[in-house]
Amino acid sequence: MEVDEITKAIILLVRAGVFMRIAFCFLRMMGDEDESPMYKKRAIHAGVFYIIAESIWQLKDIVFYYYA
């Protein structure tokens, strides 16, 4: 039971962290037009990280379901 709680907490932290990172990048893009491409790239990288992180958790669930 503790492992499931820890994984749920990690998933929640990843989701919140990515959301905050993307929000921060968009706020910085609005504030500084000169560095806008850099923050746009960082926001895209955060989105890609989120997709990969969610995919890993889904693959883990599929493997545990298949072999359990």
Side-chain angles (χ1 to χ4, degrees):
M1 197 63 148
E2 292 178 7
V3 174
D4 288 334
E5 293 173 1
I6 291 171
T7 57
K8 287 180 183 178
I10 291 172
I11 291 170
L12 180 66
L13 286 173
V14 167
R15 289 176 180 166
V18 168
F19 174 74
M20 294 300 291
R21 179 66 177 171
I22 291 173
F24 173 77
C25 288
F26 279 127
L27 288 173
R28 293 291 295 196
M29 282 187 338
M30 287 189 292
D32 191 6
E33 295 294 326
D34 294 334
E35 295 185 3
S36 179
M38 179 180 64
Y39 285 109
K40 182 177 181 181
K41 189 174 182 180
R42 288 181 180 179
I44 290 171
H45 286 174
V48 169
F49 168 76
Y50 176 72
I51 291 169
I52 292 171
E54 286 291 326
S55 298
I56 289 171
W57 292 114
Q58 294 302 320
L59 287 173
K60 178 198 70 91
D61 290 339
I62 290 170
V63 168
F64 282 150
Y65 175 76
Y66 183 73
Y67 289 109

